[in-house]
């Protein structure tokens, strides 16, 4: 895209649009680990934004992603811990599974075959979940779902939606005192979305891809004035925390919301039994196409709140509710070619290049083919007409080939025996489905290793993206990670699209990486099977890279949390002469190879103030914001001990949704029980104090 002739006004719009897109992709990448675009495409957005901000300094902003890249880029919002976690819903795909859901519920409630359970069937809106808290009838805050436990505060943005009352009326059947939290989905109607895109096209801007992403991006804008210009809409469908009593049924709760002036979706059905639910499903399968907003299914909810109470929740989702997903949207298109991508470990992934086709709200031109077996099993040939499928937010995939449309010109894909990047041999290790390029100096691998080294959880080198690394490696400036520290200003300034200031910034970023914690370095080395958490475990035991290099496999395996696979991989890595030479070069360049004070196991002093010190804790149920391993690690870091089962020796139980027998036992033994929100509060208090 050429920006060279933008007017000031157009530049302002383009800058805002880029910022918003980048934030959106940051969110997908960092929070959901589900990127929708390649690193290359991402870098192009950031580069373009940098360039525009340089040319139009009047629009520079501290909140711009160019200023925050490398720190937590999805930040910019205060957060709030939800008083009631925002769970998700488990999915079903066939009427049969819905029948099983009903059977399960009746079994759990001890109901006989004739005793029907009444349900409410609602549309599942494909938007962005939000929660709005009213305190004494006044809108206090609004937040995103976030990770379910803690969300971003987006109050000003939600206030721009005119349908949301700032105050709740009195006399609508709800005591105006105390908390009243309502939850729902923000979305954009098709007509409004098209109008918005029309305006953008007239301004010479890229149209947005689909209403859902636009809604998500809009809610993340830091300037509510821009949000106010976007046609956001909302349906509320649930109550979270509430001090006043609720009516007995969900249906009546929705009616209460209506009386309070809180927008609900009129498209809802009250079903007296399963058969009526199944009839509703059937009629929506076609009727949904008439709606002027996106839905990805139906939500079937037990109507009686008392029954919900009795049913409770599973790990991530309530037992009294289920989503019925409409069948994934498919489309027919042509497969033009198959490209092999080589990752940093040499693993080769085949990717299908498709004739662009519009499916489920966005244009698809690439799809993953996983591996050679998959191509063979589905007999996918270049030139074939294929059915592709995009379900929810997953990467599109090729479902099958339409053989009847073959012309005879299609070419079976011959899996190359040579790496498409370096020409070296491809090898398929026994028992593995993937082919690997075995040439460790293959440029694709070198680039991958450098990008990994520079990534956020590793050495966090700001400004070292795809494009730069491509040029550095292809231009012969860098051969490995240690080579980064040998780069000169002249070399960098000579690269394409590299302004002097960016060259200096990059040099500064590289320099700063010398002082990263040891765990970051160990992770950055890209030792197979050693992730960030594994690296931290190793550092707790070894105070320097030299101590780690000297460690034997048995000693490594003895570390709590380090298994044989990791231990062997670490040994193999350091057994290689060239890896040890690499470490020596890093040392020569002043890269930190020692454990930093903050990485050390906690001292007695530090432990004195820790609420976990000397305590035996048990984590049970599902945690929303971290894995159980991470929770255990954090307890250990604060001097506590994480145990697997509850006994008289247990001091504290942290229970998430779905906690079962351990929680029960803790109750019986009178052990202190806290939820995840409280756990996080204590962790943060301990870390901060
Ligand atoms: S009830 C326990 N009702 O779907 C969650 N959710 O896939 C309470 N959603 O996170 C949600 N339409 O954002 C409910 N009519 C509806 C919905 C709905 C869309 C979303 C919601 C949830 C997601 C789960």
């Amino acid at each position: 895209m050429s920006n060279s002739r933008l007017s000031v006004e157009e530049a302002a719009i383009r800058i805002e649009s880029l910022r918003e897109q980048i934030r959106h992709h940051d969110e997908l990448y960092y929070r959901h680990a589900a990127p929708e675009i390649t690193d290359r495409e991402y870098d192009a957005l950031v580069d373009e934004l940098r360039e525009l901000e340089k040319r139009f300094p009047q629009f520079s902003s501290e909140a711009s992603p160019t200023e925050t890249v490398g720190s937590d880029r999805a930040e910019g919002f205060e957060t709030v811990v939800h008083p009631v976690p925002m769970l998700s819903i488990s999915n079903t795909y066939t009427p049969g599974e819905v029948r099983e859901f009903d059977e399960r519920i009746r079994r759990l409630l001890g109901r006989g075959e004739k005793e029907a359970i009444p349900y409410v069937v609602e549309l599942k809106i494909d938007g962005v979940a939000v929660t709005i808290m009213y305190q004494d009838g006044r809108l206090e805050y609004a937040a995103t779902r976030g990770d379910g436990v803690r969300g971003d505060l987006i109050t000003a943005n939600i206030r721009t939606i005119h349908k949301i009352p700032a105050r709740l009326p009195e006399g609508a059947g709800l005591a105006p005192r105390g908390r009243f939290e309502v939850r729902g989905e923000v979305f954009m109607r098709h007509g409004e979305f098209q109008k918005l895109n029309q305006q953008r096209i007239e301004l010479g801007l890229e149209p947005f891809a689909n209403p859902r992403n636009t809604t998500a991006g809009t809610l993340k804008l830091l300037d509510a004035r821009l949000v106010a210009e976007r046609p956001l809409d909302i349906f509320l469908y649930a109550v979270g925390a509430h001090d006043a009593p609720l009516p007995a049924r969900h249906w009546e709760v929705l009616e209460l919301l209506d009386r309070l002036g809180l927008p609900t979706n009129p498209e809802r059905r009250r079903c007296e039994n399963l058969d009526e639910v199944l009839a509703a499903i059937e009629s929506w399968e076609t009727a949904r196409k008439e709606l002027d907003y996106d839905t990805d299914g139906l939500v079937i909810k037990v109507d009686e709140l008392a029954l919900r109470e009795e049913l409770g929740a599973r790990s991530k989702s309530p037992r009294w509710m289920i989503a019925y997903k409409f069948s994934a949207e498919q489309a027919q298109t042509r497969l033009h070619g198959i490209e092999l991508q080589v990752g940093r470990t040499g693993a080769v992934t085949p990717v299908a290049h498709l004739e662009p086709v519009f499916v489920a709200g966005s244009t698809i031109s690439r799809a993953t083919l996983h591996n050679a077996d998959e191509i063979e099993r589905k007999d996918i040939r270049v030139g074939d007409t294929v059915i592709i499928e995009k379900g929810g937010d997953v990467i599109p995939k090729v479902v099958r080939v339409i053989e009847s449309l073959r012309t005879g010109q299609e070419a079976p894909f011959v899996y190359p025996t040579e790496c498409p990047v370096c020409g070296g041999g491809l090898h398929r290790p026994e028992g593995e489905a993937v082919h690997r390029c075995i040439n460790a100096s293959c440029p694709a691998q070198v680039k991958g290793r450098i990008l990994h080294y520079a990534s956020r959880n590793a050495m966090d080198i700001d400004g070292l993206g795809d494009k730069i690394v491509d040029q550095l490696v292809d231009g012969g400036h860098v051969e490995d990670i240690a080579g980064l520290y040998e780069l000169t200003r002249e070399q960098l300034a000579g690269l394409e699209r590299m302004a002097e200031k960016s060259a200096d910034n990059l040099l500064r970023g590289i320099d700063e990486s010398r002082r990263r914690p040891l765990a970051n370095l160990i992770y950055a080395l890209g030792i197979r099977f050693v992730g960030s958490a594994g690296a931290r475990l190793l550092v707790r035991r070894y105070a320097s890279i030299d101590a780690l290099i000297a460690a034997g496999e048995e000693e490594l395996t003895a570390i709590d949390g380090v298994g044989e696979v990791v231990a062997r991989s670490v040994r193999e890595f350091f057994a290689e002469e060239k890896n040890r030479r690499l470490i020596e070069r890093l040392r020569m360049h002043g890269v930190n190879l020692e454990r930093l004070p903050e990485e050390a196991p906690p001292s007695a002093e530090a432990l004195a103030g820790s609420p976990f010190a000397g305590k035996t804790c048990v984590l049970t149920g599902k945690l929303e914001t971290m894995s159980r391993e991470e929770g255990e690690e954090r307890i250990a870091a604060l001097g506590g001990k994480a145990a697997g089962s509850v006994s008289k020796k247990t001091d504290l139980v942290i229970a998430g949704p779905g906690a079962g027998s351990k929680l029960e036992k803790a109750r019986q033994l009178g052990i202190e029980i806290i939820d995840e929100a409280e756990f996080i509060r204590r962790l943060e208090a301990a870390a901060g104090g």
Side-chain angles (χ1 to χ4, degrees), residues 261-280:
L262 293 162
T264 62
N265 192 345
E267 303 291 351
R268 55 185 184 244
R269 289 194 209 176
R270 197 173 184 169
C271 300
E272 287 311 319
N273 53 45
L274 175 72
D275 286 339
E276 291 186 24
V277 171
L278 296 175

Side-chain angles (χ1 to χ4, degrees), residues 87-89 122-125 129 145 185 237 299 301 318 321:
L87 300 181
S88 52
I89 316 179
E122 295 172 15
L123 285 165
K124 188 166 180 317
I125 310 298
R145 175 176 185 275
E185 203 85 357
Y237 46 63
V299 185
K301 305 176 174 178
M321 165 164 68

Side-chain angles (χ1 to χ4, degrees), residues 19-318:
R19 286 179 181 164
E20 177 187 316
Q21 290 179 52
I22 292 167
R23 283 189 197 110
H24 169 66
H25 292 301
D26 282 345
E27 159 96 355
L28 289 173
Y29 186 87
Y30 286 114
R31 300 225 176 162
H32 305 291
E36 276 177 0
I37 57 173
T38 62
D39 290 359
R40 194 182 289 269
E41 289 161 335
Y42 175 88
D43 286 350
L45 294 176
V46 175
D47 287 350
E48 194 195 335
L49 177 57
R50 282 224 170 86
E51 201 224 330
L52 279 175
E53 285 177 343
K54 217 166 74 195
R55 277 206 322 190
F56 299 94
Q58 64 267 46
F59 300 129
S60 68
S61 153
E62 268 176 30
S64 170
T66 54
E67 301 296 320
T68 48
V69 168
S71 64
D72 198 342
R73 292 190 272 182
E75 287 309 292
F77 288 97
E78 304 265 317
T79 60
V80 65
V81 173
H82 302 303
V84 178
M86 291 179 79
L87 300 181
S88 52
I89 316 179
S90 46
N91 291 325
T92 57
Y93 300 89
T94 61
E97 288 174 278
V98 175
R99 198 179 284 281
E100 285 167 20
F101 162 73
D102 177 67
E103 279 164 13
R104 195 159 58 238
I105 288 205
R106 276 187 293 111
R107 201 173 49 243
L108 286 167
L109 295 173
R111 297 279 175 107
E113 245 173 75
K114 295 258 150 60
E115 295 171 281
I117 308 278
Y119 296 99
V120 175
V121 175
E122 295 172 15
L123 285 165
K124 188 166 180 317
I125 310 298
D126 195 9
V128 177
V130 297
T131 185
I132 306 174
M133 179 66 89
Y134 286 90
Q135 176 71 43
D136 300 334
R138 282 164 187 269
L139 196 163
E140 188 187 33
Y141 69 77
T144 61
R145 175 176 185 275
D147 50 30
V149 170
R150 185 193 283 275
D152 288 331
L153 280 173
I154 50 164
T155 316
N157 291 353
I158 291 297
R159 281 189 197 276
T160 68
I161 305 175
H162 296 299
K163 288 186 185 168
I164 294 293
R167 264 163 183 267
L168 299 179
E170 286 179 31
L174 179 82
R177 295 265 159 264
R179 292 182 307 173
F180 187 64
E181 184 188 19
V182 286
R183 293 175 172 179
E185 203 85 357
V186 178
F187 64 98
M188 253 179 224
R189 291 179 192 269
H190 293 156
E192 298 294 331
F193 175 72
Q194 269 152 19
K195 258 193 260 167
L196 179 66
N197 265 349
Q198 200 52 47
Q199 287 166 4
R200 294 178 64 83
I201 290 164
E202 278 160 22
L203 284 168
L205 301 171
E206 285 280 310
F208 289 124
N210 62 54
R212 206 211 79 89
N213 289 8
T214 312
T215 303
T218 301
L219 288 176
K220 290 282 163 163
L221 290 173
L222 290 168
D223 185 345
R225 281 169 304 183
L226 296 172
V227 179
E229 288 165 14
R230 300 277 175 80
L232 295 180
D233 206 331
I234 188 167
F235 282 139
L236 296 162
Y237 46 63
V239 172
H242 55 93
D243 289 327
L246 293 180
R249 287 171 171 256
H250 177 61
W251 187 263
E252 295 159 353
V253 170
L254 294 173
E255 288 174 337
L256 169 66
L257 297 183
D258 286 336
R259 286 198 301 280
L260 290 166
L262 293 162
T264 62
N265 192 345
E267 303 291 351
R268 55 185 184 244
R269 289 194 209 176
R270 197 173 184 169
C271 300
E272 287 311 319
N273 53 45
L274 175 72
D275 286 339
E276 291 186 24
V277 171
L278 296 175
I281 289 178
E282 199 179 317
S283 74
W284 274 122
E285 278 285 2
T286 46
R288 65 167 162 137
K289 305 209 167 87
E290 310 289 313
L291 294 165
D292 73 336
Y293 45 83
D294 287 344
T295 64
D296 55 350
L298 299 169
V299 185
I300 299 147
K301 305 176 174 178
V302 168
D303 195 18
E304 281 180 53
L305 302 197
L307 296 185
R308 292 184 178 189
E309 199 50 28
E310 210 173 309
L311 289 162
R314 231 169 305 131
S315 58
K316 271 202 170 141
S317 50

Side-chain angles (χ1 to χ4, degrees), residues 562-637:
V562 174
E564 262 169 52
V565 176
V566 173
R568 187 165 325 126
S569 179
V570 170
R571 283 309 316 138
E572 280 170 5
F573 184 87
F574 291 116
E576 276 198 47
E577 171 71 27
K578 73 171 187 333
N579 289 334
R580 287 202 310 272
R581 270 209 307 272
L582 190 66
I583 303 286
E584 284 322 304
R585 280 174 57 221
L586 292 174
R587 192 192 310 275
M588 201 178 77
H589 289 298
V591 174
N592 172 53
L593 302 175
E594 308 279 323
R595 182 165 73 193
L596 299 183
E598 69 259 29
E599 294 183 276
S603 67
E605 248 167 84
L607 292 185
S610 159
F612 300 100
K615 290 212 171 145
T616 302
C617 310
V618 174
L619 287 157
T620 176
K622 195 87 181 176
L623 296 183
E624 296 271 345
T625 57
M626 61 183 103
S627 64
R628 185 173 303 184
E629 292 71 43
E630 195 186 330
E632 291 177 352
E633 225 179 85
R634 293 182 68 172
I635 290 170

